[in-house]
Amino acid sequence: MRITKDNTVGVVIDIQERLVPAMAEKETFVKNSKILIEGLQALNLPLLVTQQYSKGLGQTIPEVSEIINNFSPIEKSDFSCLDEAVFKERLEQSGAKNVVICGIESHVCVLQTAVDLKEAGYNPIIVMDCTSSRDLKNVQLATERFRHENILMISYESILFELTRSAKAAEFKTISTLVK
């Protein structure tokens, strides 16, 4: 399956104020997620951003919210983004079949969203160096489940260059600079 810009959307799951400090390797996770988000935007892909129970878990961290064009997070209380009507509607409106996913936690919201997307006929693509959990063992368990469910796992550099497709693309220089 070749992943192209014309049928792809990015999803940023719950990168929130009270969750991020508890994540394993949080500095790397945030840095990588920012590169992915900036790259997806440079490629003009739509982004859907979720926040889990914002009242208790806070807002999307400023390092992320401030780089997202037209930042408008979707509030959710269910772990799977697909169980949230607004998310489901915006995803359908995007017309995308490929869903590039980053966020937290790998073994809860990311996992349940990916499994539900797969079941609904989408192609979830987990950007593994842009996901995290409080414990790296849970990331490993999520990885095993993704593999079992035939859900594609990839790195941010790999997906950004695949979406760019060519060194002749107008976005190549921007993407190349981001991943250096």
Side-chain angles (χ1 to χ4, degrees):
M1 172 184 79
R2 182 68 170 219
I3 304 162
T4 60
K5 290 190 312 184
D6 61 340
N7 63 351
T8 301
V9 64
V11 174
V12 179
I13 300 177
D14 308 342
I15 304 181
Q16 292 167 256
E17 296 164 327
R18 293 198 185 94
L19 291 174
V20 171
M23 294 303 109
E25 301 176 354
K26 63 182 171 274
E27 294 84 8
T28 302
F29 160 70
V30 171
K31 177 180 83 62
N32 292 351
S33 296
K34 287 174 60 178
I35 292 168
L36 176 69
I37 291 164
E38 289 179 304
L40 294 176
Q41 290 184 130
L43 293 162
N44 294 311
L45 266 69
L47 283 180
L48 300 176
V49 182
T50 66
Q51 292 182 173
Q52 177 78 22
Y53 180 59
S54 300
K55 183 179 177 185
L57 298 176
Q59 300 300 308
T60 299
I61 61 171
E63 299 98 297
V64 170
S65 64
E66 291 171 2
I67 64 169
I68 296 176
N69 301 328
N70 305 310
F71 179 71
S72 178
I74 300 165
E75 180 71 24
K76 68 182 186 66
S77 55
D78 292 322
F79 299 128
S80 172
C81 295
L82 211 54
D83 286 340
E84 171 51 51
V86 174
F87 178 89
K88 191 173 184 178
E89 181 181 319
R90 289 190 192 167
L91 180 59
E92 288 170 359
Q93 289 171 347
S94 77
K97 285 295 173 197
N98 299 321
V99 184
V100 176
I101 301 171
C102 71
I104 49 184
E105 288 191 63
S106 303
H107 66 296
V108 184
C109 296
V110 173
L111 174 66
Q112 291 182 35
T113 298
V115 169
D116 286 352
L117 285 167
K118 179 97 174 173
E119 189 174 318
Y122 292 94
N123 301 315
I125 301 151
I126 310 301
V127 186
M128 291 305 296
D129 51 0
C130 297
T131 64
S132 190
S133 293
R134 286 165 284 150
D135 186 330
L136 288 177
K137 290 177 187 172
N138 284 323
V139 175
Q140 292 168 344
L141 290 170
T143 300
E144 288 181 34
R145 179 75 183 273
F146 295 141
R147 193 169 289 117
H148 176 76
E149 299 288 347
N150 267 340
I151 292 171
L152 182 61
M153 294 175 281
I154 200 161
S155 69
Y156 73 80
E157 186 171 343
S158 181
I159 190 64
L160 290 176
F161 279 119
E162 184 167 350
L163 291 166
T164 302
R165 201 158 172 105
S166 170
K168 295 177 185 174
E171 305 90 354
F172 172 75
K173 193 170 199 165
T174 301
I175 298 301
S176 183
T177 300
L178 281 171
V179 301
K180 284 185 179 178

